[in-house]
Amino acid sequence: MVTGTTARQYQTQQTHYIAVDVAGSDGAQTVDIGIIPAGSFITHAGFVVRTAFNGTGTVSMGPSTDTDGLMSAVVITATGAKDADDIGTSDDVYVSSATTFQAVVGGTPTAGAGLAYVYYIPDNRN
């Protein structure tokens, strides 16, 4: 569950993250992962499948304006960690304003459980 409506930023220099549980029983869906503050750099993202999604379950991930900017229709019908497949060439790895990131579950799942996450480094070097 997403906590709060503002970007999360700690006062010390450290890698931050946002994460949300995703249930396959909710079927095809778009889930808000969280809000990343302005000036942040995305370093990693992915989806951990705890219980395999059935049907033709896939997940895409990115900012709300480009929901497949970091990860594009990665199959989630087997357990394990799924890395963001597009992050190496994405133009969504820097956010100039506070940005909501989302996970989009596609296909026809009726069961499964996982965790969508995004790691980022905010610009708090001052």
Side-chain angles (χ1 to χ4, degrees), residues 49-93:
V49 181
R50 287 189 301 267
T51 304
F53 285 63
N54 65 349
T56 56
T58 62
V59 67
S60 298
M61 193 180 308
S64 59
T65 56
D66 184 15
T67 56
D68 64 353
L70 302 178
M71 181 179 237
S72 299
V74 171
V75 175
I76 53 175
T77 57
T79 59
K82 314 300 180 183
D83 286 331
D85 59 346
D86 296 330
I87 199 167
T89 58
S90 177
D91 60 358
D92 296 315
V93 294

Side-chain angles (χ1 to χ4, degrees), residues 16-111:
H16 295 49
Y17 72 92
I18 52 176
V20 66
D21 287 310
V22 178
S25 58
D26 294 334
Q29 60 188 296
T30 299
V31 180
D32 287 348
I33 303 169
I35 302 169
I36 294 179
S40 294
F41 296 88
I42 310 304
T43 61
H44 186 74
F47 193 88
V48 179
V49 181
R50 287 189 301 267
T51 304
F53 285 63
N54 65 349
T56 56
T58 62
V59 67
S60 298
M61 193 180 308
S64 59
T65 56
D66 184 15
T67 56
D68 64 353
L70 302 178
M71 181 179 237
S72 299
V74 171
V75 175
I76 53 175
T77 57
T79 59
K82 314 300 180 183
D83 286 331
D85 59 346
D86 296 330
I87 199 167
T89 58
S90 177
D91 60 358
D92 296 315
V93 294
Y94 174 77
V95 296
S96 58
S97 61
T99 303
T100 299
F101 276 71
Q102 297 178 317
V104 178
V105 176
T108 57
T110 58

